[in-house]
Amino acid sequence: PGEVRNGTLLKEITGDYNEQVTEFNQEAFEAAKRPLNRYNGVILADSVGLGKSYVGAPLVQRYTSSRDEVLIIAPKRLEPMWMGELLDAESGVFPTEANKTFISFAELSMLSEQEIQRLRSVDMILIDEAHKLRNTQTQRYAKLQSIGRVGKLFVLLTATPIHNSVRDVDNLIKVFADDADFDIELDGKPPSGIFRAYDRLSSDEERSEADRGRLEELQALIESIMREVMISRDRKHIVENYDDIT
């Protein structure tokens, strides 16, 4: 999914929102189906301004019905966009019939046990500006973990999945998937161990030639993990590969 032009991808998003999405977002929409089906989650990490919401919104529409409930977690300032402009059943660009609940990250941090119990029944969770969950030691991360993963799909949107270290990515992946969920070849090592080892070695100022070689091996393994669950393209890639970028 990281390089969405490679592999077999449907070229069209069908439905009433087809004309609203450019080609590169149509392909991201199709590529996102694989991690959603395999890992119950996907991280949409295209650069700023490339329309991640125009991938996340049709995914919500595609994977939910009027019988489902969607929890949207985002900064409070984005509530009108997600609850109105994009997903409103009557007037939204991507009309969505599912019941929708919006909470801000501040509200997530303060959820009561009763509120957590109610939200455990939601069918899909969309998190905009998901980089706010890079730190596992926060109340917001703990509350999200308490809501749980069982029976849920996750769509995470962020232009900056890495801030302090590559372990930020591991923490985002752990929102929806455990090490045991990855059955790809990783030299017999768990994903979390790979992220930790890279973080430790890369922070050493004095590295031997063997350390540099090991870092390259770990980087390749991390890229394999990220390709499983993340779609990440920058503007340069889009300009070079697509005709309809503006």
Side-chain angles (χ1 to χ4, degrees):
E3 184 68 46
V4 296
R5 291 189 70 86
N6 291 338
T8 303
L9 297 171
L10 298 176
K11 294 296 184 183
E12 298 293 332
I13 297 176
T14 58
D16 53 9
Y17 49 81
N18 185 52
E19 295 181 359
Q20 301 291 337
V21 220
T22 55
E23 180 189 358
F24 63 89
N25 281 337
Q26 290 176 354
E27 292 193 347
F29 170 90
E30 293 297 337
K33 292 179 181 179
R34 180 180 179 274
L36 280 169
N37 293 335
R38 187 169 184 178
Y39 298 99
N40 296 322
V42 64
I43 301 171
L44 304 177
D46 282 347
S47 297
V48 172
L50 294 181
K52 290 179 292 298
S53 59
Y54 278 69
V55 181
L59 286 171
V60 171
Q61 188 184 50
R62 165 65 177 80
Y63 280 91
T64 61
S65 70
S66 59
R67 300 185 302 272
D68 297 320
E69 183 169 359
V70 180
L71 173 62
I72 301 166
I73 303 171
K76 188 70 174 177
R77 59 183 168 78
L78 297 181
E79 182 174 4
M81 181 186 79
W82 284 110
M83 298 298 281
E85 296 171 28
L86 283 177
L87 297 181
D88 183 74
E90 297 297 328
S91 58
V93 174
F94 305 104
T96 301
E97 299 295 332
N99 296 311
K100 297 177 288 294
T101 298
F102 181 98
I103 60 173
S104 67
F105 286 103
E107 291 166 332
L108 173 64
S109 300
M110 297 183 291
L111 286 177
S112 67
E113 184 57 36
Q114 182 179 5
E115 290 168 324
I116 289 171
Q117 288 285 356
R118 186 187 74 77
L119 293 173
R120 283 176 179 157
S121 64
V122 303
D123 302 281
M124 191 170 196
I125 299 180
L126 181 143
I127 307 172
D128 199 352
E129 298 196 14
H131 48 270
K132 295 182 183 294
L133 292 167
R134 289 181 299 216
N135 185 349
T136 61
Q137 303 305 308
T138 59
Q139 275 293 314
R140 63 181 63 151
Y141 199 98
K143 298 287 186 176
L144 183 61
Q145 294 292 81
S146 295
I147 292 171
R149 307 173 183 159
V150 177
K152 300 176 182 62
L153 296 176
F154 289 80
V155 175
L156 280 61
L157 284 66
T158 175
T160 53
I162 299 176
H163 179 62
N164 294 315
S165 78
V166 293
R167 294 182 68 179
D168 294 341
V169 175
D170 188 36
N171 294 340
L172 291 181
I173 293 172
K174 291 301 184 294
V175 168
F176 55 85
D178 288 319
D179 285 349
D181 295 322
F182 288 81
D183 58 0
I184 58 175
E185 177 52 49
L186 295 171
D187 290 347
K189 299 176 178 60
S192 291
I194 293 168
F195 282 106
R196 283 195 301 271
Y198 184 91
D199 189 42
R200 184 175 60 253
L201 267 180
S202 63
S203 63
D204 290 341
E205 294 184 2
E206 296 183 5
R207 300 175 200 148
S208 65
E209 185 174 341
D211 287 341
R212 289 192 290 272
R214 181 60 182 149
L215 273 175
E216 290 180 5
E217 294 172 1
L218 290 168
Q219 180 175 337
L221 293 174
I222 287 173
E223 289 172 356
S224 295
I225 296 167
M226 291 171 66
R227 280 194 295 270
E228 287 292 296
V229 296
M230 182 183 292
I231 297 170
S232 179
R233 304 163 297 174
D234 60 19
R235 184 168 291 274
K236 181 175 181 290
H237 169 83
I238 301 301
V239 169
E240 291 176 351
N241 289 277
Y242 297 89
D243 295 329
D244 54 3
I245 184 72
T246 57

